[in-house]
Structure formats: C-alpha cells, structure tokens
Amino acid sequence: MSYLTSPSASRSRSLAAIDTVAPAHSKGQLLFAKSKVYVHPTPSAKDNIPGFIALVRPPGASDREILLAWMPESLLRGEDVRAYSKVDLHPDDAPALEVFVSLPPISSISTFAFAIPLTRIYSVMLRPPSLGWWWGSIIIHTRNEAVVPALFFHDSESQSTIMQQKQRNKKFTPFAPDGDLFWGGDQFMKYLRRYTTVEKSTFEQRLYLINPEPDDLLSFSPPNARIEKISDRESLSRLVKDARWNVLERLARVTRFSRRTAQEVIGNSPPAVRAMLNVPEVRQLGDDFDSARVYLAKWAMTISEEAERSKSKVVWTDVVGDHIGSMVGDFEVLNVDDRVERRNEVSREEWKAFFDHSGRLCITVSEIKERIFHGGLAPDVRSEAWLFLLGLYPWDSSQLDRQVIMASKRDEYYRLKRQWWDDIERQKTDAVWKDQRNRIEKDVHRTDRNIPLFAGEDTPHPDPDSPFANIGTNVHLEQLKDMLITYNEYNKTLGYVQGMSDLLSPIYAVIQDDAVAFWAFVGFMSRMERNFLRDQSGMHRQLLALDNLVQLMEPKLYTHLEKADSTNFFFVFRMLLVWFKREFKWDDVLRLWEVLWTDYLTSQFVLFVALAILDKHKDVIMEHLEHFDEVLKYMNELSKTIDVEETLTRAEALFYRFQRTIDAIDRKNKEPLSSGGGGWSSPIVPSNSSGSSGFPDGPPDKSLPLKPDVTGRIVISDVLRELLSKDIIVVKDTIPMEEYES
Amino acid sequence: MLKVIILGDSGVGKTSLMQQYVSKKFSNQYKATIGADFLTKQDVRVDDRNVTMQLWDTAGQERFQSLGVAFYRGADCCVLVYDVNNAKSFEALDSWRDEFLIQASPRDPESFPFVVLGNKIDVEESKRAVSQKRALAFCQAKGNIPYFETSAKEAINVDQAFEVIARNALVQEESEEYSSDFSDPINIHLDNDRGGCCS
C-alpha cells in the first residue's frame, strides 16, 4: 500500500509506460473530463485516490473506439493537468477546443488507471448520491470480464460539478432529467451519449446498456416490463396498488425506522419527488439554502415526511391497510404510550357546560386543564378561557367575581397608562425613556404585520417626530405600543426587552381589549420574565435543562451534538425565548401556548416540545449536520414547517418516557436522600446559573443528568428534577437595570 | 469560508443590509432578530479569487450580547452598523467594537478588520443626526476603519461596502493562517470534509 500511495513511485512507472509510445502517436483528443472522481481501494478514506474520468479519442479512432478512461491525478504531467482542468470546466466546448493529451494507460494495477474502448463496455450502473451513499458512483461492466474499480464522484470537490449545480439551483431545477438530484455521474452520462448509444434498462432502474445488441435489449428491457410513469402526488398510492406485496413490504420497512429505505422507495419514483418541489413550503425551503448538507438534510426530511403522509393517506384506506398497520406498530416513540392522544378542541358549548349558573367551574381544575392540554380551545372560547389560564381570573371565581376583577383591572391599566401619557415633560426630556419608547415602536412596527389586524398603515401617526411619521400606523399597533410602554413602566426592574412584542401580539389579537390584554400579558410575563433577565440566567438554566434532558433521553444525538460543537444548545435559543413564536404558524402558536399555559404535566413542557422537535429530526441531524453553523441553520429554517399537533403528541410521549425513567431510578434508590442533606449529597448542578457573567463559553462545568453519589445511589440533577414540577418558575428578585441599555 | 459578524443597535438595518447584499431584496418588515442567524453569499470575487462569505446577523439589544461568544468565534471581519438618523446608534459603535474584541478575542486586536456602515441615507436630509465628517473622524481615530454610507432600502453602496468587507476579511483569514500556532488538533475528515471552502 505504501508503494501505491507514493506519488513519485507511481508517477515514474506510468511515465515510463507512456513514454514507450512515440510522441507523434501518443496524443489523443480529450473529449470530456471530470475532476475529483475517486477510486476507493480500501474502506479507509485516506486511501482514496483522486483522478479524472475522461473520454479520449485516439488518433483516427471512430466513435466506438473512443476510450473511457480513469486517470489518477498523480499520473498527469504538467501540460496534461492543464488540459484536463480546461476540459473539465468547459465540457461543452471540449470537442471544438481540440485539446490533445497523452493517451491514458490501458490498465495499471498499481495505480488503478484504466482505459477501455467504448465498444468493449457492456453496461454502466449508476448509483446517485443518497442518504446511505454520500458519494455517487458508477460501476462499469466490460464485455471481456475485465474488472475495473468503481468510480466515486466527489461532487463537492469538483469545480465543474459545483458550477453545474449552482446554475441549476439558480433556476431551481436541481434535478437531472431522470428526476434525481444532479450529480457528476449524470453529467458523465450526458457526454457519453454523444458518442455511443445508451439504453436505459427498464428492468434494472440504474443500469444503462452501452451500444446494446438486440439480445441485450431483450434481456434487460423486455418491452412489457415498462415501469409505469408516475406523475402525480398520489404516486405512492398507485405504486402501492400496482406493485402489491413487493412494494408493500418495502413500504413497511420505510415506516419502521429506516430512512434509507424511504429514500429508495421514493427515489424510484422521481416525478413524485419533483412534484413535491412544487409544494410551496418545500420551494421556500429550497430558495435560500446554504451548505449542501443543510439542503440535503431538509430534502431527506421532506421525503420521509412525504412517505409518512402518503402512508397515512393511502395505505390505511387500502384493503391491506391492516397488514401495514400491524407492521408499523412499533414505529418510533409515538405508539409506545397509548395514553398519548390528541383530542378535538373545546367548543363554545362545551366550555359553557363547564360552569354552573353562577359561573363557577363545576369540574375540577385538573380536569379542565387536562381537557385543554389535550385538545386546545376553539377560537371563540379563547378570549375568556385565556384569562383563566393566564391567572387573571381565579379558577374558583364566580361570574360576579370576575366582573369585579375586570372593572378594577381596567381602571388600573388606564391609571398606569395615564401616568406616562400625561407626563409631557418627561416625554420630552428623559432620554432613557425616549429611547425605550423608540425601541418599542420599532419592534411593534415589525411584529406580525402579516396578520390583517396589524397590517394597516392608514392612520396618520400621532407624533410628527416619530421615525414612522411618514409611514402611517393603525390603531392596533398604537395599542400594542402603549401596552408595552406601560409594561416598561409597570415592571421597572426588567423594562421592555426585544421579544416581548412577539409575546404580546397574539394575546392582544385574541382579546382585542387593551386593558384586559395588558393584564393577560402581565400574567404571561410572570413566567416568561426569566427569559429576559439581564444576565440571561433564566435562559441559561433552561438550556442546561435541555442539555441534561437530551443526554438522558437521546444519548446518541447528544454525542453527535458534542462532535458538532453544539451542546451550548444556542440553536434552540429563539424557540425558548419566545415560546416558538417564530417557529409555528400563527394559529398553531395560539394552540401551543394555551396547551403550555395549563402546566398540566409540568410547567416546563416547553422543553419537551423542544425535545420533540429534536427527536423528530435527530436522524437527519446525525446523518448530515456536522458543525454548529449547520445545526443552527437547519433549526432556524424549520420555522413555519413544524406540525403542532404531531409535535405535542411526541412531546407528551417523551414526557412520559422521561417520567418513567426518573421513577425507575427513584425506585432503585429506594430510600431517597433527605433533602438538603450533607455535603456529599449536595446538588449535582453547580449553581452557576445565578452568576452574572451571562453565557460563559458553554456551561462551565457540564453537568451530568445522573451521577452516582458516595453510597452508590444515582442522583438526578436538579434541572431534571425541576422538569417534573407543575409550579411556574418565577423570578423572585429581578436584577435591577443598573445601567441603561445601549 | 470568510466569517463576517454584523453588529449594531437594534433597528439600524443589519438584517436589511445583509438581505440586500445576499438576496437583492428589501422589506420594511424584517422581524427583530432573536438569537442569531446567518446568510451565505457564494462566488464573491475578490481580485482573482472566488470566496464564500458567511454573514452573521445578531440581536441588536445589548442584553443579548453575551450570546456573542458562540457566534463571534473565528470571525474574519466585523461590520459595525449605525443609523445616520440616530445619534445614539452612532455613539454605541465604540462599545460594540469593544464588546466584539472582548468576546471574539482575535489574536491581534490592533489589526483586526472592522468596517463601519452608516445606513438609512435614503431618509430625508433634515432627519440626519450624524454628519459624514463626524463619522469619518471616528473611523480615523479608531485606526482608519473603512467607512461607507449606505441605504439597504435603495441598494446604495451596499455592494461596494461588502466588496471591501470581503477583501479585508480575506486578508485577515490569510494572516490568521500564517500566524496559526497549530496548538489545536487538526481535524481530518477526508470523507466529509467541509465543502464550499474558498477554492
């Protein structure tokens, strides 16, 4: 092997071989070349040998005698290097350019180089890049049984392929004519077709016959074995019906775990994949993708989702649905716990029936919370029900109590608002106040403007000095602004922080009464306050909890995230800060929030929602994303593609699994340690969360979710234990704004 | 891959400048950035080289600056943006610069490339709060930082500014490579090496 990898040795051999031919006859015309085509002689990547695949016409040769060659880079001499590179980058101009190169060696065992006349080639098997095979490859079958190595197209290294891909992506037609993602092998086949007949075998999808004899055509492309063209989004349904058990079995494998199989099944119906690209959200995904890996990851996820959708749409209505159903019984986490079931939303009638004639709740708080947790609320129930969930109305209040509360809260809001509204002097002179007001106004004008309520700009701005004086405003934007300024006064220690406008707008849109919405917002903020602290300690602690949760529940994913330098979990920062406001569609945000507000299983259910999203995408993350920036990009771009009901179901199942794990450990430990015990039983989690340094370089001492103590019992970390509590975590002493911000 | 960090007060137009440069589009209604995000611009021509730029956009409120550590590392250039109609955003440039140097801790802070952009020059002249003279004086005092007056809305000077940003980032990246002390283990992934590097 060392001989092989020594470039000078192989070089001298080959040069000797080539030099034996007289120079005048040693040149052939280079018709096509592609760079970074590798031979993988061993499973180890470090033995891979880069080279060029090429078509070379020997002097005076006919098309059939053109050589299909592979030349390792190490064999190329100076002028040939330039020639190959030139043809690689200008494939269409190659014949006209008349580039001549040394004839490639017919075969060389030590360097793997080979050159075969087209007439000696029987077929070419193409294997495009896919989830299991990062590099696309081709296998050449010769007529004389000479074995040539498989060639691997390292497309991400090949300038010419990258160029081609970019051009296609610009037009958003990243697919080759046969419907797969474009790759180097396609390009090779395109140019091969110029010089020889290439027949696609209808029998073996990826097999191409070169200059086939009539007999070959019969055995590999029987005229009746035409594979049906599948052209619409129902493709899978038809595939299922047509191919019966064969396909059913393959589908069954898809639904169990294996995404690779999913890719194979879907990959065999390219037009369906193409059709998927017309789905707007998929299009949007593709519009501004960045690294190929992030793109491929998204693509893989789309395909497996499409497979899932088709499965539920088609297969269960099929006569053989039961068969599939029994086979997918163990699919992922969803079915492991039969307690997990989403229900329909609470309707106006059902809501009314929860209360007696005096307006008192006649079921238990736990019951009503369970109902909302599993079903959510109908839109016309929200404006009332949310006031309970956000703590404005006590659950045991009567209708009369609530009227009294409402009246006094309304008065109080207008009193608070008037305090700053009437203080003209301060509005003119207090730079700090003015600055905060400007910040609020700027944010209000860029919050949820796609929602009709906030879209208008037809009202003249009340303040001619405002930066928005020329643009105009609307009454609802003005209300949002006033509420946030009032909150800025009301919670002086915290003040307004970016993100709060995102939390207020859905509440206001649902309630549409500024005074009531204000107090509902205050209720929401009491639990969200810790997200906005100056030292970020609240966010830090949640990220740490998620860290521990992933370590415990998804150890493989955690190991991968460690390798990808992503265990700071900053890629969920936005999700947690504003409770997925930017990740879900508007209506789904309303649903998610009312579910989270119930604290039915835990007050920290939001972390299980994050865990559910990671769980859903973990295979794709582990297979495709290797760096922090890729993970962040992938997670950020999930925005508006996440299914809320499915995520909630998954989150609930994960919660039960977590709870069972903790229970099992507790039972094993039999006798729990007395709380606040001696030194050796002190909490595992260092209390770094109260530090004032903000986010250090990741949590300074990565805590473990579980850790044995001196007696051999397993101690569960505080942050994990906290996840079982239904008590809202509130900030007791807000850190004062020592100095005014920026 | 050149990594560029864009900093400045909230609402000065960081996201808009980035979008204008990368996607050639403008919207009045980019949401306030939460956490961080980045855009990639490929095929940036710097002299005779083709480079890829990764532009990092972060939240503008000072409270979220401590997140920076995770995002600033490995930066090759830092763009400081202010709104020419907002004096406060200009006065904050110095602390943005300091904060960046503390958190990114580049090898040689003295020579680390910054570029200052005064954005929103499309707004009527009467609203202007920071004169060009004042901005230039600041940039000169801070070691001749290149200065551009831009409008993300009307695509004024955006490409020109980013051309200089790319060039300075490339110089920085190359100087980092030279002075690299090789103390970090070199990660070899022949199979899955990162594609799209500035080749």
Side-chain angles (χ1 to χ4, degrees):
Chain A
M1 239 23 221
S2 63
Y3 174 64
L4 275 190
T5 49
S6 155
S8 58
S10 49
R11 192 183 166 86
S12 58
R13 260 177 84 99
S14 64
L15 288 183
I18 288 168
D19 286 343
T20 54
V21 187
H25 303 292
S26 68
K27 294 275 180 180
Q29 191 186 356
L30 188 59
L31 301 169
F32 172 77
K34 171 146 296 287
S35 57
K36 301 298 173 191
V37 176
Y38 281 66
V39 169
H40 294 181
T42 75
S44 166
K46 66 178 194 299
D47 292 333
N48 293 349
I49 308 168
F52 286 87
I53 192 171
L55 295 172
V56 182
R57 188 196 295 274
S62 70
D63 279 359
R64 289 168 67 89
E65 292 162 318
I66 288 170
L67 296 172
L68 195 180
W70 181 77
M71 281 284 278
E73 287 174 6
S74 60
L75 279 190
L76 294 176
R77 282 186 295 176
E79 53 196 278
D80 281 355
V81 173
R82 278 192 299 278
Y84 275 84
S85 306
K86 190 174 177 187
V87 171
D88 181 28
L89 291 173
H90 305 283
D92 284 310
D93 307 328
L97 285 173
E98 300 211 325
V99 178
F100 290 89
V101 293
S102 313
L103 282 180
I106 296 302
S107 97
S108 155
I109 292 168
S110 61
T111 63
F112 296 94
F114 65 82
I116 311 162
L118 294 183
T119 163
R120 302 303 313 157
I121 296 173
Y122 185 73
S123 64
V124 177
M125 179 83 107
L126 261 69
R127 189 168 61 190
S130 67
L131 294 185
W133 301 96
W134 184 256
W135 309 120
S137 57
I138 66 170
I139 295 167
I140 297 162
H141 306 286
T142 60
R143 288 178 190 269
N144 56 2
E145 294 180 356
V147 177
V148 295
L151 300 178
F152 293 84
F153 287 73
H154 287 214
D155 286 343
S156 59
E157 299 162 30
S158 169
Q159 273 309 311
S160 58
T161 309
I162 293 168
M163 233 165 57
Q164 284 276 327
Q165 284 171 335
K166 266 183 206 150
Q167 278 169 11
R168 283 163 181 276
N169 289 338
K170 271 184 200 140
K171 290 180 271 174
F172 208 74
T173 52
F175 295 96
D178 63 353
D180 285 314
L181 267 182
F182 176 80
W183 65 293
D186 282 319
Q187 209 188 356
F188 165 69
M189 290 306 285
K190 177 180 158 196
Y191 289 95
L192 183 61
R193 279 195 173 91
R194 293 192 173 171
Y195 304 105
T196 184
T197 314
V198 176
E199 288 280 355
K200 188 172 182 175
S201 162
T202 53
F203 196 71
E204 196 46 71
Q205 282 266 305
R206 300 287 175 211
L207 189 69
Y208 293 84
L209 303 174
I210 309 300
N211 274 327
E213 309 283 346
D215 279 357
D216 300 334
L217 275 176
L218 258 176
S219 22
F220 282 92
S221 293
N224 299 332
R226 217 166 39 81
I227 288 189
E228 193 170 345
K229 286 278 173 230
I230 301 156
S231 58
D232 55 29
R233 290 197 65 203
E234 298 301 311
S235 59
L236 265 167
S237 136
R238 286 173 54 194
L239 204 65
V240 167
K241 280 177 186 142
D242 290 347
R244 293 277 163 199
W245 289 104
N246 173 26
V247 174
L248 280 175
E249 269 171 27
R250 284 153 70 190
L251 256 184
R253 287 204 299 275
V254 175
T255 54
R256 297 165 152 193
F257 313 116
S258 166
R259 278 182 214 296
R260 271 185 201 125
T261 327
Q263 216 275 334
E264 277 164 28
V265 172
I266 310 294
N268 284 340
S269 51
V273 177
R274 243 178 300 168
M276 257 160 43
L277 273 164
N278 293 326
V279 180
E281 55 267 34
V282 180
R283 256 225 144 84
Q284 193 197 338
L285 279 183
D287 271 339
D288 49 1
F289 69 85
D290 292 277
S291 88
R293 257 200 292 276
V294 173
Y295 180 63
L296 204 61
K298 286 179 192 167
W299 188 65
M301 201 61 208
T302 319
I303 280 180
S304 73
E305 281 183 336
E306 181 72 5
E308 281 297 299
R309 256 201 301 280
S310 306
K311 183 195 72 188
S312 55
K313 228 168 26 198
V314 178
V315 178
W316 266 290
T317 61
D318 204 273
V319 265
V320 286
D322 291 344
H323 177 72
I324 294 283
S326 68
M327 289 175 91
V328 300
D330 55 352
F331 178 61
E332 289 198 335
V333 67
L334 294 186
N335 291 17
V336 296
D337 202 304
D338 46 12
R339 275 180 292 178
V340 179
E341 197 180 302
R342 299 290 304 162
R343 299 179 59 187
N344 56 345
E345 58 192 21
V346 176
S347 67
R348 183 87 217 154
E349 291 68 38
E350 189 181 356
W351 175 259
K352 273 189 191 152
F354 291 154
F355 298 87
D356 66 16
H357 63 279
S358 66
R360 275 185 206 281
L361 196 63
C362 48
I363 59 174
T364 66
V365 176
S366 174
E367 280 169 321
I368 195 167
K369 283 187 168 181
E370 188 276 334
R371 184 66 189 85
I372 298 170
F373 178 81
H374 281 122
L377 299 158
D380 58 351
V381 182
R382 284 186 173 132
S383 62
E384 188 180 344
W386 281 18
L387 303 183
F388 287 90
L389 290 170
L390 290 169
L392 191 52
Y393 293 158
W395 286 104
D396 60 359
S397 61
S398 69
Q399 182 67 40
L400 196 67
D401 295 337
R402 294 197 286 275
Q403 278 166 7
V404 174
I405 290 169
M406 186 67 96
S408 81
K409 286 290 182 187
R410 199 180 289 281
D411 286 350
E412 198 181 345
Y413 172 70
Y414 291 119
R415 189 179 55 78
L416 285 168
K417 180 175 167 181
R418 226 172 6 250
Q419 271 175 9
W420 61 263
W421 185 273
D422 292 344
D423 196 345
I424 307 290
E425 188 55 31
R426 182 169 167 224
Q427 290 189 34
K428 280 193 184 135
T429 57
D430 187 340
V432 169
W433 189 90
K434 268 164 52 182
D435 205 56
Q436 199 67 340
R437 183 202 58 199
N438 289 342
R439 186 195 300 279
I440 289 168
E441 178 155 46
K442 242 179 233 169
D443 285 350
V444 160
H445 276 263
R446 49 181 174 165
T447 302
D448 297 319
R449 298 298 300 277
N450 54 328
I451 301 302
L453 189 71
F454 301 123
E457 292 182 336
D458 41 2
T459 309
H461 200 283
D463 176 6
D465 292 331
S466 160
F468 294 90
N470 300 337
I471 299 167
T473 179
N474 71 62
V475 61
H476 303 294
L477 291 182
E478 292 304 301
Q479 298 277 35
L480 285 183
K481 182 174 83 180
D482 290 352
M483 283 184 277
L484 288 170
I485 295 174
T486 307
Y487 185 79
N488 185 57
E489 294 291 301
Y490 172 78
N491 189 345
K492 277 201 166 60
T493 48
L494 189 64
Y496 171 79
V497 184
Q498 282 194 327
M500 290 183 185
S501 64
D502 277 287
L503 298 183
L504 174 60
S505 79
I507 292 178
Y508 174 77
V510 162
I511 296 172
Q512 294 206 19
D513 173 322
D514 57 339
V516 183
F518 175 80
W519 292 109
F521 174 68
V522 168
F524 190 16
M525 278 310 299
S526 68
R527 69 161 85 213
M528 297 303 277
E529 198 173 354
R530 67 179 185 140
N531 287 9
F532 298 96
L533 300 180
R534 167 170 288 278
D535 68 354
Q536 298 284 300
S537 57
M539 284 304 293
H540 186 182
R541 190 158 179 87
Q542 289 174 80
L543 294 177
L544 187 66
L546 189 61
D547 171 286
N548 273 213
L549 200 53
V550 175
Q551 277 192 65
L552 183 71
M553 307 280 288
E554 315 272 8
K556 274 192 201 149
L557 174 63
Y558 191 84
T559 310
H560 181 82
L561 291 175
E562 270 183 324
K563 272 190 280 180
D565 207 13
S566 302
T567 45
N568 53 27
F569 285 90
F570 284 156
F571 56 88
V572 294
F573 184 88
R574 184 173 79 190
M575 297 182 172
L576 297 183
L577 186 84
V578 290
W579 272 22
F580 300 94
K581 173 75 186 323
R582 303 280 178 93
E583 328 303 322
F584 286 102
K585 298 187 188 90
W586 174 265
D587 290 337
D588 292 346
V589 168
L590 309 185
R591 170 57 40 83
L592 176 75
W593 286 6
E594 64 203 11
V595 167
L596 291 174
W597 285 332
T598 63
D599 303 313
Y600 173 65
L601 293 173
T602 161
S603 65
Q604 301 303 297
F605 198 66
V606 69
L607 293 177
F608 290 88
V609 174
L611 184 66
I613 292 171
L614 285 175
D615 180 66
K616 169 146 172 121
H617 294 268
K618 67 181 171 190
D619 289 352
V620 170
I621 294 171
M622 288 191 285
E623 270 187 89
H624 295 286
L625 308 176
E626 297 180 357
H627 301 273
F628 172 68
D629 54 353
E630 291 168 356
V631 177
L632 179 83
K633 193 78 189 162
Y634 184 78
M635 295 303 281
N636 276 352
E637 297 200 351
L638 289 179
S639 181
K640 309 290 156 68
T641 69
I642 313 172
D643 182 315
V644 73
E645 294 294 333
E646 191 213 314
T647 304
L648 286 170
T649 310
R650 196 182 285 263
E652 189 179 354
L654 285 163
F655 174 82
Y656 293 135
R657 209 163 76 187
F658 169 71
Q659 197 177 38
R660 280 198 304 270
T661 310
I662 300 295
D663 282 353
I665 294 165
D666 284 346
R667 273 202 306 278
K668 225 171 200 167
N669 284 338
K670 279 178 216 153
E671 221 168 80
L673 294 163
S674 60
S675 58
W680 47 268
S681 66
S682 60
I684 303 301
V685 186
S687 54
N688 53 29
S689 55
S690 58
S692 56
S693 57
F695 284 107
D697 196 359
D701 15 17
K702 271 289 187 188
S703 80
L704 296 166
L706 309 172
K707 201 168 149 186
D709 69 10
V710 287
T711 67
R713 284 181 220 153
I714 296 168
V715 180
I716 295 158
S717 71
D718 279 5
V719 282
L720 282 186
R721 186 71 75 183
E722 218 166 75
L723 298 182
L724 292 171
S725 166
K726 296 181 188 182
D727 297 332
I728 296 171
I729 299 170
V730 294
V731 177
K732 288 187 186 74
D733 305 298
T734 312
I735 292 119
M737 291 167 72
E738 312 95 324
E739 47 160 351
Y740 192 68
E741 293 195 327
S742 65
Chain B
M1 175 88 75
L2 301 176
K3 185 169 176 178
V4 175
I5 313 289
I6 304 179
L7 300 177
D9 278 5
S10 73
V12 296
K14 299 181 290 297
T15 306
S16 298
L17 280 163
M18 234 174 66
Q19 289 285 356
Q20 180 58 260
Y21 175 58
V22 176
S23 324
K24 307 275 171 256
K25 61 185 183 188
F26 176 81
S27 158
N28 272 324
Q29 288 160 11
Y30 291 122
K31 293 182 174 185
T33 306
I34 293 178
D37 203 352
F38 63 87
L39 290 179
T40 307
K41 173 90 171 174
Q42 292 175 326
D43 291 335
V44 180
R45 202 79 190 149
V46 181
D47 301 326
D48 56 343
R49 297 189 53 184
N50 243 354
V51 296
T52 298
M53 265 206 284
Q54 198 181 56
L55 303 166
W56 283 78
D57 186 14
T58 52
Q61 194 163 4
E62 188 238 70
R63 186 156 309 205
F64 298 113
Q65 268 184 46
S66 55
L67 277 167
V69 175
F71 309 122
Y72 299 173
R73 195 183 295 136
D76 300 305
C77 181
C78 175
V79 182
L80 302 170
V81 186
Y82 77 98
D83 171 356
V84 297
N85 312 298
N86 178 342
K88 203 162 178 342
S89 69
F90 175 73
E91 286 147 18
L93 290 183
D94 213 14
S95 64
W96 280 111
R97 182 175 166 276
D98 291 348
E99 190 65 30
F100 174 81
L101 289 174
I102 292 166
Q103 297 208 34
S105 52
R107 225 176 287 272
D108 182 7
E110 292 299 309
S111 72
F112 188 89
F114 288 89
V115 172
V116 170
L117 307 184
N119 193 34
K120 304 196 186 181
I121 56 165
D122 51 278
V123 176
E124 59 195 277
E125 190 57 35
S126 64
K127 298 259 164 129
R128 178 132 187 174
V130 181
S131 69
Q132 192 177 52
K133 202 173 143 197
R134 190 175 165 203
L136 281 169
F138 169 83
C139 292
Q140 206 164 21
K142 295 292 166 186
N144 280 322
I145 301 177
Y147 174 67
F148 291 88
E149 300 205 333
T150 59
S151 161
K153 186 176 183 178
E154 291 173 8
I156 301 169
N157 250 346
V158 176
D159 284 347
Q160 291 84 336
F162 277 95
E163 199 182 306
V164 168
I165 291 163
R167 179 165 291 122
N168 291 358
L170 188 62
V171 170
Q172 171 67 11
E173 193 194 44
E174 282 169 348
S175 78
E176 284 277 307
E177 275 166 12
Y178 276 118
S179 61
S180 168
D181 57 8
F182 297 107
S183 61
D184 300 331
I186 296 165
N187 211 358
I188 300 173
H189 287 296
L190 279 178
D191 242 340
N192 282 325
D193 219 337
R194 306 199 66 185
C197 201
C198 37
S199 49

